[in-house]
Amino acid sequence: MITPDRAEIVGFLCAEGCYYAYKGKYWEFDKRRNKKYFRSKNEEVLQMANNNKKIQKRFIFLMDRTYGYAPRFYGDKHSMRCTIKRKSVINDLRKYSKKYNSFDWKLHRSIQHGSKRIKNAFLRGFFDGDGSFTKASANCYRIRFFSVNIKELRKVQTILTSLSMKNKLYGPYFGNRSKTGYYELTLNTKAATHFIKTIKPTKIDFECRNN
């Protein structure tokens, strides 16, 4: 069952996640026979990448509160990631999107047509994962979401519209960010301010939310 915490985790993974399935190969020592045997088995992991310490802390907190499982972020400061290996957790999160990567993530109907709390939580995770904001003046903001997955980004757009947050979709844009073309979902002025105060993204300072 989808909950606000799960919806936020799914939002993070839709923005910055990746699902890997691979064949694990290793040697195993059998003490009874005093011999080593070559083994292989199917493995799968979910990864979430983010270099922002506040975002990392929030993601770990949600994982621990939801699953009693708190995998840590690792890597150098410019390439930090968290690897989810627990099978039961992966199975649960894949109920909402079979794959989590740039082109293949899906917005589950339980989120798209969920309660206001569910929608808000997903938007918080999705924005904190890969969204951006700029402050043009004291009380003028611009919120932007980026994705190469136009079909699912349009579904995110319907969530924003259902929450009375006026928005506009731009693109595709080509360049270093994406050779296949990426899209930008933008909220300006009043809608952006409404988004910040309602969604309360982790990456935006408390002071900005309350101006």
Side-chain angles (χ1 to χ4, degrees), residues 14 16 38 57 60 68 71-72 96-97 103 107 114 127 135 145 160 169 176 178 184 190 204 207:
C14 287
E16 293 276 54
F38 185 74
K57 186 176 179 180
I60 292 170
R72 301 297 172 180
Y96 306 103
S97 181
F103 291 95
L107 181 58
F127 175 80
K135 187 175 181 180
F145 299 89
L160 292 167
L169 191 59
N176 293 332
S178 174
E184 177 185 312
K190 290 182 179 180
I204 298 181
E207 291 77 11

Side-chain angles (χ1 to χ4, degrees), residues 141 196-197 200-202 204-211:
Y141 303 95
I196 293 168
K197 291 183 177 181
K200 299 179 173 60
T202 303
I204 298 181
D205 293 339
F206 178 82
E207 291 77 11
C208 293
R209 298 183 203 159
N210 292 279
N211 281 339

Side-chain angles (χ1 to χ4, degrees), residues 23-184:
K23 180 78 73 174
K25 300 178 180 180
Y26 60 97
W27 288 93
E28 184 177 67
F29 182 73
D30 189 327
K31 291 182 179 179
R32 294 176 301 171
R33 295 182 175 88
N34 197 34
K35 289 180 66 176
K36 287 196 303 182
Y37 294 90
F38 185 74
R39 309 289 192 194
S40 67
K41 64 177 181 178
N42 294 325
E43 303 277 8
E44 58 181 352
V45 297
L46 270 172
Q47 286 191 334
M48 153 54 179
N50 201 287
N51 297 328
N52 186 311
K53 295 291 186 182
K54 288 182 180 179
I55 302 302
Q56 294 172 12
K57 186 176 179 180
R58 176 67 180 174
F59 185 76
I60 292 170
F61 168 77
L62 290 168
M63 288 291 294
D64 191 30
R65 187 162 73 174
T66 304
Y67 299 108
Y69 172 60
R72 301 297 172 180
F73 280 80
Y74 61 92
D76 65 57
K77 63 180 181 180
H78 301 297
S79 183
M80 300 290 291
R81 67 191 64 195
C82 171
T83 299
I84 301 167
K85 297 181 178 180
R86 187 174 289 182
K87 185 75 173 178
S88 60
V89 176
I90 293 172
N91 287 343
D92 185 66
L93 289 169
R94 291 190 70 216
K95 292 176 184 176
Y96 306 103
S97 181
K98 287 293 183 184
K99 293 183 179 180
Y100 290 98
N101 57 51
S102 298
F103 291 95
D104 298 322
W105 63 270
K106 302 291 184 184
L107 181 58
H108 197 269
R109 60 184 178 276
S110 65
I111 296 173
Q112 186 181 5
H113 303 294
S115 67
K116 186 176 180 180
R117 287 186 66 208
I118 295 296
K119 292 177 179 179
N120 286 353
F122 171 82
L123 289 173
R124 185 181 307 115
F126 192 63
F127 175 80
D128 278 337
D130 199 29
S132 75
F133 81 102
T134 53
K135 187 175 181 180
S137 61
N139 292 301
C140 183
Y141 303 95
R142 175 180 292 175
I143 294 293
R144 294 185 293 175
F145 299 89
F146 305 96
S147 183
V148 296
N149 191 338
I150 181 61
K151 180 180 178 181
E152 301 307 307
L153 193 61
R154 284 198 175 108
K155 293 179 183 178
V156 176
Q157 186 178 30
T158 66
I159 291 180
L160 292 167
T161 301
S162 73
L163 297 172
S164 301
M165 297 180 188
K166 189 176 179 180
N167 59 83
K168 194 166 183 179
L169 191 59
Y170 298 93
Y173 300 111
F174 299 89
N176 293 332
R177 188 181 180 98
S178 174
K179 293 182 180 180
T180 59
Y182 72 92
Y183 299 83
E184 177 185 312

